[in-house]
């Protein structure tokens, strides 16, 4: 079923555009144009954000598992009001802030074993492409310029506005801008949204401003995704993913911009994931209840546990982030890891049955693999997929309780192969890499200051002189510096940090 030479199976996904589960079909058979919304790089992403990126990962891995060729683009918003405010607060340049936060984000993706997108384009790399869309919209009577030089999308001239992913009463809408109220001056309608913000002397930054044919300023929030998806994937894409909070205004505005500019359908399938809740409340930076990945998951087994917690959940339902949920995920991973080690240790065991005599290999494992694949094809039903994985775990555990003479090693090999196959989607069998910051900290931990080494040499001299009290006093000074000594007979003592244990 998962062979790349076999016909592609029927994948059912919930499409937010139709509000129904439907067969996933692509423009070009076997090829998927996939666009996903990335972070605004003004701070570290939180674990709620990473649920979206893990959902993208499960969908992408599932498509690849069954043989689709996925071309995935994920944007990085590196110009935004939040970025500017943070730069003003911290007295840092836009480039320095965004590059630092971008690297932290990419490090976290690696820690979570997320398959990288082909490109992570930055908004600031595509200013000309955004300007071109505004010019196309103006030509189609869907964009206008205000007296201060800003540009807005004319919602009253788009009869389908607010009727794609949501069903809005446009007349009752309030302003949807991520701006101050004075930025909205000159709008024809309250529901019109900003495409281009004109430069305002005294409040805007030179390092977040561009001189363009439509005026001096910077792009609005929504425009970049329309521009970058068009540049990398064309006018119409197969699937667009994001958190459910992005349905409106962001994704609805993307549709309006893209279809208003090109006259073609923008995206055929929209996949949205549910929130991560903490204390029964949506996790968000605005509420101040967020946890970064490194704060919530300080150890490698915590990071893997969070991945398992998310990827084994129903992606469209809310997910509660609790200590109990993380403990359960870690317990599940411990069972999986223990069995996999047993399977590795049993490789090449001479006590084997013939393939025909292994019910595990011929019946049980194929049935659970089929259940696993059926679950994936039914709107990424990952709890059912996890149930199939654990059916294999339980069967393996049961087999290892037998005596060597009775163990079905052929069946165990089949379980091992099936677990490896399932992990192409789960992505939990890996070693969590260190971030660049953690690598630097580890490297610094190996550096012993000169003053400590001087004390080490003084202590050696005191020991050679059999001045034991002085040697003990020097050892204590070394401890006070945060280091410890291990004497080596016939060699130099080993010096390590106290916190390196």
């Amino acid at each position: 079923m998962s062979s790349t030479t076999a016909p592609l199976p029927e994948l059912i996904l919930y499409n937010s555009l139709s509000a129904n589960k439907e067969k996933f079909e692509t423009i070009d058979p076997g090829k998927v144009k996939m666009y996903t919304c990335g972070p605004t790089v003004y701070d570290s992403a939180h674990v709620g954000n990473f649920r979206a990126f893990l959902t993208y990962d499960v969908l992408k891995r599932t498509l690849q598992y069954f043989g689709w060729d996925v071309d995935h683009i994920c944007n990085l918003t590196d110009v935004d009001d939040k970025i500017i405010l943070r730069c003003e607060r911290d007295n840092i340049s836009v480039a320095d802030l965004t590059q630092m936060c971008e690297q932290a984000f990419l490090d976290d993706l690696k820690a979570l074993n997320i398959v990288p997108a082909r490109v992570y384009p930055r908004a600031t790399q595509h200013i000309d492409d955004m300007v071109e869309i505004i010019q196309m919209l103006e030509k189609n009577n869907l964009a206008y310029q205000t007296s201060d030089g800003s540009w807005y999308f004319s919602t009253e001239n788009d009869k389908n506005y607010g009727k794609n992913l949501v069903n809005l009463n446009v007349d009752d809408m309030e302003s949807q801008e991520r701006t101050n109220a004075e930025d909205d001056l000159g709008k024809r309608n309250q529901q019109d949204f900003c495409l281009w913000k004109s430069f305002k002397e005294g409040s805007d930054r030179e390092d977040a401003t561009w001189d363009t044919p439509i005026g001096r300023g910077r792009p609005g929030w929504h425009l970049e995704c329309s521009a970058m998806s068009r540049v990398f994937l064309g006018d119409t894409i197969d699937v667009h993913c994001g958190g459910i909070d992005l349905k409106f205004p962001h994704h609805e505005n993307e549709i309006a911009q893209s279809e208003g500019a090109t006259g073609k359908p923008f995206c055929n399938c929209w996949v949205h994931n549910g929130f991560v809740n903490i204390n029964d409340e949506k996790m968000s930076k605005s509420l101040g209840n967020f946890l970064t990945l490194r704060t919530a998951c300080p150890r490698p087994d915590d990071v893997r546990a969070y991945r398992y917690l998310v990827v084994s959940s129903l992606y469209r339902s809310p997910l509660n982030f609790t200590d109990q949920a993380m403990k359960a995920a870690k317990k599940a991973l411990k069972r999986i890891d223990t069995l996999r080690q047993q399977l590795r240790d049993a490789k090449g065991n001479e006590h084997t049955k013939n393939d025909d005599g292994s019910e595990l290999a011929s019946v049980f494992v194929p049935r659970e693999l089929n259940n696993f694949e059926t679950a994936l094809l039914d709107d990424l039903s990952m709890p059912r997929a996890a149930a199939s994985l654990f059916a294999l775990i339980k069967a393996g555990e049961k087999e290892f309780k037998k005596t060597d003479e009775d163990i079905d090693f052929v069946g165990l090999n089949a379980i091992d192969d099936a677990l490896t196959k399932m992990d192409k989607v789960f992505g939990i069998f890996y070693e969590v890499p260190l971030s660049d910051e953690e690598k630097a900290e580890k490297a610094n931990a190996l550096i012993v200051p000169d003053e400590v080494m001087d004390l080490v040499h003084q202590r050696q001299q005191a020991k050679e002189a059999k001045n034991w009290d002085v040697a003990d006093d020097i050892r204590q000074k070394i401890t006070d510096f945060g280091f410890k000594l291990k004497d080596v007979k016939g060699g130099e003592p080993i010096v390590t940090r106290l916190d390196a244990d």
Side-chain angles (χ1 to χ4, degrees), residues 215-449:
R216 193 163 190 248
R218 56 188 168 90
W221 173 39
H222 313 293
L223 189 58
E224 65 185 82
C225 289
S226 291
M228 289 188 278
S229 63
R230 182 169 179 252
V231 167
F232 290 100
L233 299 173
D235 291 336
T236 305
I237 61 177
D238 296 304
V239 61
H240 194 317
C241 308
I244 195 170
D245 55 325
L246 296 181
K247 270 188 175 183
F248 183 84
H250 186 51
H251 288 164
E252 192 73 29
N253 290 355
E254 281 186 53
I255 294 172
Q257 293 165 162
S258 296
E259 297 188 356
T262 69
K264 300 174 184 177
F266 173 45
C267 179
N268 293 326
C269 180
W270 290 81
V271 174
H272 291 98
N273 62 274
F275 292 132
V276 170
N277 294 333
I278 185 166
N279 297 325
D280 296 319
E281 188 175 42
K282 172 199 169 187
M283 186 181 295
S284 72
K285 291 175 182 174
S286 60
L287 293 173
N289 64 351
F290 71 95
L291 296 169
T292 66
L293 181 67
R294 302 294 171 166
T295 301
C297 306
R299 297 174 60 87
D301 61 337
D302 297 321
V303 176
R304 284 183 66 222
Y306 182 68
R307 179 181 173 94
Y308 180 73
L309 174 66
V310 174
V311 302
S312 61
S313 69
L314 283 170
Y315 77 91
R316 287 194 287 126
S317 300
L319 178 66
N320 289 319
F321 183 82
T322 63
D323 289 341
Q324 293 87 343
M326 284 292 287
K327 286 177 182 176
K330 282 195 273 192
K331 184 178 179 181
L333 282 180
K334 187 174 181 180
R335 281 184 65 188
I336 295 169
D337 291 343
T338 299
L339 180 69
R340 289 187 69 237
Q341 184 59 55
Q342 289 178 297
L343 291 169
R344 285 193 293 270
D345 293 342
K347 287 287 186 184
N349 196 296
E350 66 274 14
H351 300 290
T352 61
K353 295 181 180 180
N354 294 327
D355 289 356
D356 293 340
S358 172
E359 186 177 348
L360 276 177
S362 62
V363 178
F364 179 78
V365 171
R367 183 180 70 222
E368 291 307 326
L369 263 177
N370 182 70
N371 291 342
F372 167 76
E373 293 180 349
T374 300
L376 296 180
L377 293 171
D378 183 13
D379 195 29
L380 310 179
S381 183
M382 293 304 289
R384 286 164 50 198
S388 294
L389 182 144
F390 262 90
L392 297 179
I393 298 297
K394 291 174 185 176
E397 291 171 336
K398 182 179 179 181
E399 203 63 30
F400 276 115
K401 291 177 181 177
K402 298 178 181 179
T403 62
D404 279 1
E405 290 75 16
D406 294 328
I407 290 178
D408 179 1
F409 286 100
V410 171
L412 288 175
N413 283 335
I415 288 175
D416 191 29
D417 291 343
L419 290 174
T420 300
K421 196 170 185 179
M422 289 181 178
D423 193 57
K424 290 180 180 179
V425 176
F426 279 104
I428 53 176
F429 302 162
Y430 73 104
E431 185 176 338
V432 178
L434 295 176
S435 68
D436 288 347
E437 182 179 354
E438 288 168 331
K439 288 177 184 175
E441 289 175 356
K442 187 174 182 180
N444 289 335
L446 301 175
I447 299 173
V448 181

Side-chain angles (χ1 to χ4, degrees), residues 75-110:
N75 74 297
L76 298 171
T77 301
D78 62 344
V79 57
D80 180 88
D81 290 345
K82 294 178 181 178
I83 291 171
I84 291 171
L85 288 172
R86 172 78 185 273
C87 289
E88 292 294 323
R89 186 193 77 186
D90 295 350
N91 192 27
I92 187 174
S93 73
V94 170
D96 286 346
L97 173 65
T98 57
Q99 288 170 17
M100 175 181 67
C101 295
E102 175 187 332
Q103 187 58 55
F105 168 69
L106 295 176
D107 284 343
D108 286 345
L109 292 186
K110 289 178 184 176

